[in-house]
Amino acid sequence: MIAVYPGSFDPITLGHLDIIERGCRLFEQVIVAVSHNPTKTPLFSVEQRMQQISDCTRHLSNVKVDKFEILTVTYAKMQHAQVLLRGLRVLSDFEYELQMGHTNKSLCPEIETVFLVTSNEYSFLSSSLVKEIAKFGGVVTHLVPSNVASDLEKCYAKTYLG
Ligand code: ADP
């Protein structure tokens, strides 16, 4: 079975990576699909985010990294995927994920959403939290892959240096 793991990944965290690694044990292929959402202003471009994901998933042979700008279920069908993979952290994720799950089911009944519950150590972790810490010069090396930590450092150093 092929699973699409859609998200913003701005940037990818160890929480995302944990879901990808576990997904790779369950599915033949996991397509990590970076969404381009014109209503959000991301820190990293779609291309940078794809590169970050490719770099930290090199050890996984059944991962493909891609981007999409269409409905998630339409994209999943184009990729011949049967599953949408999502991660669940805290109760607040649940309401949004349930709504998205029902919406996607109504649009495309043959595609199932599969939720993986976050590993305990990453349950508090989000991309925005990481950006907030990095912005103020805090250490994020225990929260993101090392390539992302150095991208964040470069990015915010540039901001400070003007
Ligand atoms: P989106 O904008 O689609 O929510 P995100 O990049 O924030 O994109 O998240 C993509 C998916 O990864 C979501 O299902 C989210 O719940 C999940 N996720 C994010 N952070 C974690 C984490 N720390 N542990 C497990 N799942 C996570």
Side-chain angles (χ1 to χ4, degrees), residues 72-123:
T72 310
V73 285
T74 309
Y75 172 78
K77 270 202 276 190
M78 283 168 60
Q79 297 298 316
H80 307 290
Q82 298 81 4
V83 167
L84 291 179
L85 183 62
R86 296 287 288 176
L88 276 181
R89 285 163 296 183
V90 283
L91 205 59
S92 51
D93 276 347
F94 187 75
E95 206 175 334
Y96 174 72
E97 293 294 343
L98 195 68
Q99 186 186 27
M100 286 311 297
H102 283 308
T103 305
N104 286 329
K105 193 78 185 162
S106 77
L107 291 169
C108 187
E110 62 271 28
I111 292 182
E112 296 291 347
T113 303
V114 171
F115 296 103
L116 290 184
V117 173
T118 178
S119 296
N120 247 343
E121 64 264 47
Y122 304 128
S123 59

Short mmCIF file of all heavy atoms in Angstrom, two decimals, residues 72-123:
data_model
loop_
_atom_site.label_atom_id
_atom_site.label_comp_id
_atom_site.label_asym_id
_atom_site.label_seq_id
_atom_site.Cartn_x
_atom_site.Cartn_y
_atom_site.Cartn_z
N THR A 72 -5.87 17.40 -1.39
CA THR A 72 -5.03 16.29 -0.94
C THR A 72 -5.50 14.95 -1.51
O THR A 72 -4.69 14.13 -1.97
CB THR A 72 -5.01 16.22 0.61
OG1 THR A 72 -4.72 17.52 1.10
CG2 THR A 72 -3.99 15.25 1.11
N VAL A 73 -6.82 14.72 -1.52
CA VAL A 73 -7.32 13.44 -2.04
C VAL A 73 -7.08 13.30 -3.54
O VAL A 73 -6.82 12.20 -4.04
CB VAL A 73 -8.82 13.18 -1.70
CG1 VAL A 73 -8.99 12.79 -0.25
CG2 VAL A 73 -9.69 14.34 -2.08
N THR A 74 -7.17 14.41 -4.25
CA THR A 74 -6.91 14.37 -5.70
C THR A 74 -5.45 14.00 -5.93
O THR A 74 -5.12 13.16 -6.78
CB THR A 74 -7.21 15.76 -6.35
OG1 THR A 74 -8.49 16.17 -5.95
CG2 THR A 74 -7.10 15.72 -7.85
N TYR A 75 -4.58 14.63 -5.13
CA TYR A 75 -3.15 14.32 -5.24
C TYR A 75 -2.90 12.84 -4.90
O TYR A 75 -2.18 12.14 -5.61
CB TYR A 75 -2.34 15.23 -4.30
CG TYR A 75 -0.90 14.83 -4.23
CD1 TYR A 75 -0.02 15.17 -5.26
CD2 TYR A 75 -0.42 14.07 -3.16
CE1 TYR A 75 1.30 14.76 -5.23
CE2 TYR A 75 0.90 13.66 -3.12
CZ TYR A 75 1.75 14.01 -4.16
OH TYR A 75 3.06 13.59 -4.13
N ALA A 76 -3.53 12.37 -3.82
CA ALA A 76 -3.33 10.97 -3.39
C ALA A 76 -3.77 10.00 -4.50
O ALA A 76 -3.09 9.01 -4.78
CB ALA A 76 -4.09 10.71 -2.10
N LYS A 77 -4.91 10.32 -5.14
CA LYS A 77 -5.40 9.45 -6.22
C LYS A 77 -4.41 9.43 -7.38
O LYS A 77 -4.13 8.39 -7.98
CB LYS A 77 -6.77 9.93 -6.72
CG LYS A 77 -7.92 9.28 -5.96
CD LYS A 77 -9.21 9.32 -6.75
CE LYS A 77 -9.90 10.65 -6.54
NZ LYS A 77 -11.26 10.71 -7.06
N MET A 78 -3.87 10.60 -7.70
CA MET A 78 -2.89 10.68 -8.80
C MET A 78 -1.65 9.85 -8.50
O MET A 78 -0.97 9.36 -9.40
CB MET A 78 -2.48 12.15 -9.02
CG MET A 78 -3.51 12.93 -9.78
SD MET A 78 -3.17 14.72 -9.72
CE MET A 78 -1.58 14.79 -10.48
N GLN A 79 -1.35 9.70 -7.21
CA GLN A 79 -0.17 8.92 -6.81
C GLN A 79 -0.52 7.43 -6.59
O GLN A 79 0.32 6.67 -6.12
CB GLN A 79 0.41 9.48 -5.49
CG GLN A 79 0.92 10.90 -5.59
CD GLN A 79 2.07 11.04 -6.57
OE1 GLN A 79 2.98 10.22 -6.58
NE2 GLN A 79 2.03 12.06 -7.40
N HIS A 80 -1.76 7.06 -6.86
CA HIS A 80 -2.27 5.70 -6.63
C HIS A 80 -2.13 5.29 -5.17
O HIS A 80 -1.86 4.12 -4.85
CB HIS A 80 -1.56 4.68 -7.54
CG HIS A 80 -1.60 5.08 -8.99
ND1 HIS A 80 -2.77 5.05 -9.72
CD2 HIS A 80 -0.66 5.57 -9.81
CE1 HIS A 80 -2.53 5.49 -10.94
NE2 HIS A 80 -1.24 5.82 -11.02
N ALA A 81 -2.29 6.26 -4.27
CA ALA A 81 -2.21 5.96 -2.83
C ALA A 81 -3.58 5.57 -2.31
O ALA A 81 -4.60 6.02 -2.82
CB ALA A 81 -1.70 7.20 -2.09
N GLN A 82 -3.56 4.70 -1.30
CA GLN A 82 -4.81 4.26 -0.68
C GLN A 82 -5.00 4.90 0.69
O GLN A 82 -6.08 4.81 1.29
CB GLN A 82 -4.82 2.73 -0.48
CG GLN A 82 -4.74 1.90 -1.75
CD GLN A 82 -3.32 1.76 -2.29
OE1 GLN A 82 -2.36 2.20 -1.68
NE2 GLN A 82 -3.19 1.12 -3.45
N VAL A 83 -3.93 5.49 1.20
CA VAL A 83 -3.95 5.98 2.59
C VAL A 83 -3.41 7.40 2.69
O VAL A 83 -2.44 7.76 2.01
CB VAL A 83 -3.08 5.03 3.47
CG1 VAL A 83 -2.81 5.64 4.83
CG2 VAL A 83 -3.76 3.67 3.63
N LEU A 84 -4.06 8.19 3.55
CA LEU A 84 -3.49 9.48 3.97
C LEU A 84 -2.98 9.25 5.38
O LEU A 84 -3.72 8.77 6.24
CB LEU A 84 -4.56 10.58 4.00
CG LEU A 84 -5.12 11.04 2.66
CD1 LEU A 84 -6.20 12.11 2.90
CD2 LEU A 84 -4.02 11.60 1.76
N LEU A 85 -1.73 9.56 5.60
CA LEU A 85 -1.12 9.35 6.91
C LEU A 85 -1.10 10.68 7.65
O LEU A 85 -0.70 11.71 7.07
CB LEU A 85 0.31 8.83 6.69
CG LEU A 85 1.16 8.47 7.90
CD1 LEU A 85 0.52 7.34 8.69
CD2 LEU A 85 2.55 8.06 7.43
N ARG A 86 -1.54 10.68 8.91
CA ARG A 86 -1.49 11.90 9.72
C ARG A 86 -1.02 11.54 11.11
O ARG A 86 -1.15 10.39 11.55
CB ARG A 86 -2.87 12.56 9.81
CG ARG A 86 -3.44 13.05 8.50
CD ARG A 86 -2.79 14.28 7.95
NE ARG A 86 -3.12 15.48 8.69
CZ ARG A 86 -2.59 16.67 8.43
NH1 ARG A 86 -1.70 16.82 7.46
NH2 ARG A 86 -2.94 17.73 9.14
N GLY A 87 -0.48 12.52 11.81
CA GLY A 87 -0.02 12.30 13.18
C GLY A 87 -0.96 12.96 14.16
O GLY A 87 -1.53 14.01 13.86
N LEU A 88 -1.15 12.34 15.31
CA LEU A 88 -1.99 12.94 16.35
C LEU A 88 -1.15 13.20 17.59
O LEU A 88 -0.49 12.30 18.09
CB LEU A 88 -3.13 12.00 16.73
CG LEU A 88 -4.40 12.00 15.90
CD1 LEU A 88 -5.38 11.01 16.49
CD2 LEU A 88 -5.03 13.38 15.81
N ARG A 89 -1.16 14.43 18.04
CA ARG A 89 -0.39 14.77 19.24
C ARG A 89 -1.33 14.94 20.42
O ARG A 89 -1.51 14.04 21.21
CB ARG A 89 0.39 16.08 19.02
CG ARG A 89 1.59 15.94 18.16
CD ARG A 89 2.06 17.27 17.65
NE ARG A 89 1.06 17.89 16.78
CZ ARG A 89 1.22 19.03 16.14
NH1 ARG A 89 2.30 19.70 16.28
NH2 ARG A 89 0.28 19.49 15.35
N VAL A 90 -1.93 16.08 20.50
CA VAL A 90 -2.74 16.42 21.68
C VAL A 90 -4.21 16.50 21.28
O VAL A 90 -4.56 16.42 20.11
CB VAL A 90 -2.27 17.77 22.27
CG1 VAL A 90 -0.99 17.59 23.05
CG2 VAL A 90 -2.12 18.80 21.17
N LEU A 91 -5.05 16.67 22.28
CA LEU A 91 -6.50 16.71 22.04
C LEU A 91 -6.87 17.77 21.01
O LEU A 91 -7.77 17.55 20.19
CB LEU A 91 -7.21 16.98 23.37
CG LEU A 91 -8.64 16.48 23.46
CD1 LEU A 91 -8.71 14.98 23.24
CD2 LEU A 91 -9.22 16.85 24.82
N SER A 92 -6.16 18.89 21.02
CA SER A 92 -6.49 19.98 20.10
C SER A 92 -6.29 19.58 18.63
O SER A 92 -6.93 20.12 17.75
CB SER A 92 -5.69 21.23 20.43
OG SER A 92 -4.33 20.90 20.52
N ASP A 93 -5.38 18.64 18.36
CA ASP A 93 -5.22 18.14 16.99
C ASP A 93 -6.47 17.38 16.55
O ASP A 93 -6.82 17.36 15.39
CB ASP A 93 -4.08 17.10 16.90
CG ASP A 93 -2.72 17.74 16.75
OD1 ASP A 93 -2.65 18.93 16.47
OD2 ASP A 93 -1.72 17.01 16.93
N PHE A 94 -7.10 16.72 17.53
CA PHE A 94 -8.13 15.75 17.22
C PHE A 94 -9.31 16.34 16.47
O PHE A 94 -9.77 15.79 15.47
CB PHE A 94 -8.59 15.06 18.51
CG PHE A 94 -9.52 13.92 18.27
CD1 PHE A 94 -9.04 12.70 17.80
CD2 PHE A 94 -10.89 14.06 18.48
CE1 PHE A 94 -9.90 11.66 17.54
CE2 PHE A 94 -11.75 13.00 18.22
CZ PHE A 94 -11.26 11.80 17.76
N GLU A 95 -9.76 17.51 16.93
CA GLU A 95 -10.95 18.12 16.33
C GLU A 95 -10.70 18.45 14.85
O GLU A 95 -11.51 18.13 13.98
CB GLU A 95 -11.29 19.39 17.10
CG GLU A 95 -12.74 19.74 17.00
CD GLU A 95 -13.10 20.94 17.86
OE1 GLU A 95 -12.39 21.19 18.86
OE2 GLU A 95 -14.05 21.62 17.53
N TYR A 96 -9.55 19.07 14.59
CA TYR A 96 -9.20 19.45 13.22
C TYR A 96 -9.00 18.20 12.35
O TYR A 96 -9.51 18.12 11.23
CB TYR A 96 -7.92 20.29 13.25
CG TYR A 96 -7.38 20.61 11.88
CD1 TYR A 96 -8.03 21.52 11.06
CD2 TYR A 96 -6.23 19.99 11.39
CE1 TYR A 96 -7.54 21.81 9.79
CE2 TYR A 96 -5.74 20.27 10.13
CZ TYR A 96 -6.40 21.18 9.33
OH TYR A 96 -5.92 21.45 8.08
N GLU A 97 -8.29 17.23 12.89
CA GLU A 97 -7.99 16.02 12.11
C GLU A 97 -9.26 15.23 11.81
O GLU A 97 -9.41 14.64 10.74
CB GLU A 97 -6.97 15.14 12.85
CG GLU A 97 -5.58 15.75 12.97
CD GLU A 97 -4.85 15.90 11.61
OE1 GLU A 97 -5.25 15.27 10.62
OE2 GLU A 97 -3.89 16.68 11.57
N LEU A 98 -10.20 15.21 12.78
CA LEU A 98 -11.46 14.50 12.59
C LEU A 98 -12.25 15.17 11.46
O LEU A 98 -12.79 14.51 10.57
CB LEU A 98 -12.27 14.53 13.89
CG LEU A 98 -13.43 13.56 13.98
CD1 LEU A 98 -12.92 12.12 14.02
CD2 LEU A 98 -14.26 13.84 15.23
N GLN A 99 -12.28 16.51 11.48
CA GLN A 99 -12.99 17.26 10.44
C GLN A 99 -12.37 16.99 9.07
O GLN A 99 -13.07 16.72 8.09
CB GLN A 99 -12.91 18.76 10.79
CG GLN A 99 -13.74 19.61 9.85
CD GLN A 99 -13.54 21.10 10.12
OE1 GLN A 99 -12.49 21.52 10.61
NE2 GLN A 99 -14.55 21.87 9.81
N MET A 100 -11.03 17.03 9.01
CA MET A 100 -10.34 16.78 7.74
C MET A 100 -10.57 15.34 7.28
O MET A 100 -10.77 15.08 6.09
CB MET A 100 -8.83 17.02 7.88
CG MET A 100 -8.41 18.46 7.96
SD MET A 100 -9.14 19.48 6.67
CE MET A 100 -8.48 18.76 5.21
N GLY A 101 -10.53 14.42 8.23
CA GLY A 101 -10.74 13.00 7.91
C GLY A 101 -12.11 12.78 7.30
O GLY A 101 -12.25 12.11 6.26
N HIS A 102 -13.14 13.37 7.93
CA HIS A 102 -14.51 13.23 7.40
C HIS A 102 -14.64 13.91 6.04
O HIS A 102 -15.27 13.38 5.13
CB HIS A 102 -15.52 13.86 8.37
CG HIS A 102 -15.81 13.01 9.56
ND1 HIS A 102 -16.19 11.69 9.45
CD2 HIS A 102 -15.77 13.27 10.88
CE1 HIS A 102 -16.38 11.19 10.66
NE2 HIS A 102 -16.12 12.12 11.54
N THR A 103 -14.03 15.10 5.92
CA THR A 103 -14.11 15.84 4.65
C THR A 103 -13.48 15.02 3.53
O THR A 103 -14.08 14.84 2.46
CB THR A 103 -13.38 17.20 4.78
OG1 THR A 103 -13.92 17.89 5.88
CG2 THR A 103 -13.53 18.03 3.53
N ASN A 104 -12.29 14.51 3.78
CA ASN A 104 -11.60 13.75 2.74
C ASN A 104 -12.35 12.47 2.40
O ASN A 104 -12.41 12.06 1.24
CB ASN A 104 -10.16 13.45 3.17
CG ASN A 104 -9.31 14.71 3.09
OD1 ASN A 104 -9.54 15.58 2.26
ND2 ASN A 104 -8.32 14.81 3.97
N LYS A 105 -12.97 11.86 3.41
CA LYS A 105 -13.77 10.63 3.18
C LYS A 105 -14.96 10.96 2.29
O LYS A 105 -15.33 10.18 1.41
CB LYS A 105 -14.22 10.09 4.54
CG LYS A 105 -14.78 8.70 4.50
CD LYS A 105 -13.67 7.70 4.42
CE LYS A 105 -14.22 6.30 4.26
NZ LYS A 105 -13.23 5.37 3.75
N SER A 106 -15.58 12.14 2.53
CA SER A 106 -16.76 12.51 1.74
C SER A 106 -16.36 12.81 0.29
O SER A 106 -17.13 12.61 -0.64
CB SER A 106 -17.48 13.71 2.36
OG SER A 106 -16.77 14.89 2.08
N LEU A 107 -15.13 13.30 0.11
CA LEU A 107 -14.66 13.62 -1.24
C LEU A 107 -14.19 12.38 -1.98
O LEU A 107 -14.31 12.29 -3.21
CB LEU A 107 -13.50 14.62 -1.17
CG LEU A 107 -13.83 16.04 -0.69
CD1 LEU A 107 -12.55 16.81 -0.41
CD2 LEU A 107 -14.68 16.77 -1.73
N CYS A 108 -13.64 11.45 -1.23
CA CYS A 108 -13.04 10.28 -1.86
C CYS A 108 -13.12 9.07 -0.91
O CYS A 108 -12.18 8.82 -0.14
CB CYS A 108 -11.57 10.62 -2.18
SG CYS A 108 -10.79 9.35 -3.14
N PRO A 109 -14.26 8.34 -0.96
CA PRO A 109 -14.49 7.28 0.03
C PRO A 109 -13.46 6.15 -0.02
O PRO A 109 -13.28 5.45 0.98
CB PRO A 109 -15.88 6.74 -0.35
CG PRO A 109 -16.47 7.76 -1.25
CD PRO A 109 -15.36 8.52 -1.89
N GLU A 110 -12.79 5.96 -1.15
CA GLU A 110 -11.86 4.82 -1.22
C GLU A 110 -10.51 5.10 -0.55
O GLU A 110 -9.70 4.19 -0.37
CB GLU A 110 -11.67 4.33 -2.66
CG GLU A 110 -11.08 5.32 -3.65
CD GLU A 110 -12.13 6.19 -4.35
OE1 GLU A 110 -13.21 6.43 -3.78
OE2 GLU A 110 -11.85 6.64 -5.48
N ILE A 111 -10.26 6.34 -0.16
CA ILE A 111 -9.00 6.64 0.52
C ILE A 111 -9.24 6.73 2.03
O ILE A 111 -10.15 7.42 2.49
CB ILE A 111 -8.38 7.96 -0.02
CG1 ILE A 111 -7.94 7.73 -1.48
CG2 ILE A 111 -7.19 8.42 0.83
CD1 ILE A 111 -7.28 8.90 -2.14
N GLU A 112 -8.43 5.98 2.78
CA GLU A 112 -8.56 5.95 4.24
C GLU A 112 -7.53 6.87 4.88
O GLU A 112 -6.38 6.92 4.43
CB GLU A 112 -8.31 4.53 4.79
CG GLU A 112 -9.32 3.49 4.35
CD GLU A 112 -10.71 3.69 4.95
OE1 GLU A 112 -10.86 4.49 5.89
OE2 GLU A 112 -11.65 3.05 4.45
N THR A 113 -7.95 7.55 5.94
CA THR A 113 -6.96 8.32 6.72
C THR A 113 -6.50 7.44 7.88
O THR A 113 -7.32 6.89 8.62
CB THR A 113 -7.58 9.62 7.28
OG1 THR A 113 -8.09 10.38 6.18
CG2 THR A 113 -6.53 10.45 8.00
N VAL A 114 -5.20 7.28 8.01
CA VAL A 114 -4.63 6.49 9.11
C VAL A 114 -3.87 7.46 10.02
O VAL A 114 -3.03 8.23 9.56
CB VAL A 114 -3.69 5.40 8.57
CG1 VAL A 114 -2.92 4.73 9.70
CG2 VAL A 114 -4.48 4.35 7.77
N PHE A 115 -4.20 7.39 11.31
CA PHE A 115 -3.54 8.27 12.29
C PHE A 115 -2.53 7.48 13.10
O PHE A 115 -2.85 6.40 13.60
CB PHE A 115 -4.57 8.87 13.26
CG PHE A 115 -5.58 9.76 12.60
CD1 PHE A 115 -6.87 9.31 12.35
CD2 PHE A 115 -5.24 11.04 12.20
CE1 PHE A 115 -7.81 10.13 11.72
CE2 PHE A 115 -6.17 11.87 11.58
CZ PHE A 115 -7.45 11.41 11.34
N LEU A 116 -1.34 8.01 13.23
CA LEU A 116 -0.37 7.43 14.14
C LEU A 116 -0.26 8.37 15.34
O LEU A 116 -0.14 9.59 15.17
CB LEU A 116 1.00 7.28 13.48
CG LEU A 116 1.11 6.20 12.38
CD1 LEU A 116 2.56 6.10 11.90
CD2 LEU A 116 0.64 4.84 12.88
N VAL A 117 -0.33 7.78 16.52
CA VAL A 117 -0.24 8.59 17.73
C VAL A 117 1.23 8.91 17.96
O VAL A 117 2.10 8.05 17.85
CB VAL A 117 -0.83 7.81 18.93
CG1 VAL A 117 -0.58 8.57 20.23
CG2 VAL A 117 -2.30 7.57 18.71
N THR A 118 1.49 10.17 18.23
CA THR A 118 2.87 10.63 18.41
C THR A 118 3.60 9.84 19.50
O THR A 118 2.99 9.41 20.48
CB THR A 118 2.89 12.13 18.77
OG1 THR A 118 4.22 12.53 18.97
CG2 THR A 118 2.11 12.45 20.00
N SER A 119 4.90 9.69 19.33
CA SER A 119 5.70 9.12 20.41
C SER A 119 5.73 10.15 21.52
O SER A 119 5.77 11.36 21.26
CB SER A 119 7.12 8.85 19.92
OG SER A 119 7.08 7.88 18.90
N ASN A 120 5.70 9.65 22.75
CA ASN A 120 5.61 10.51 23.93
C ASN A 120 6.54 11.71 23.92
O ASN A 120 6.14 12.83 24.22
CB ASN A 120 5.96 9.67 25.17
CG ASN A 120 4.74 9.51 26.03
OD1 ASN A 120 3.77 10.25 25.87
ND2 ASN A 120 4.78 8.55 26.93
N GLU A 121 7.79 11.45 23.54
CA GLU A 121 8.80 12.52 23.65
C GLU A 121 8.57 13.66 22.66
O GLU A 121 9.18 14.71 22.79
CB GLU A 121 10.22 11.95 23.53
CG GLU A 121 10.56 11.31 22.19
CD GLU A 121 10.38 9.80 22.17
OE1 GLU A 121 9.32 9.31 22.63
OE2 GLU A 121 11.28 9.12 21.67
N TYR A 122 7.70 13.44 21.65
CA TYR A 122 7.46 14.49 20.66
C TYR A 122 6.05 15.07 20.74
O TYR A 122 5.64 15.84 19.87
CB TYR A 122 7.70 13.95 19.25
CG TYR A 122 9.07 13.35 19.06
CD1 TYR A 122 9.23 12.07 18.54
CD2 TYR A 122 10.20 14.08 19.41
CE1 TYR A 122 10.49 11.51 18.37
CE2 TYR A 122 11.47 13.53 19.26
CZ TYR A 122 11.60 12.25 18.73
OH TYR A 122 12.84 11.72 18.58
N SER A 123 5.31 14.72 21.78
CA SER A 123 3.90 15.10 21.81
C SER A 123 3.71 16.62 21.94
O SER A 123 2.66 17.14 21.61
CB SER A 123 3.19 14.38 22.96
OG SER A 123 3.82 14.72 24.15
#
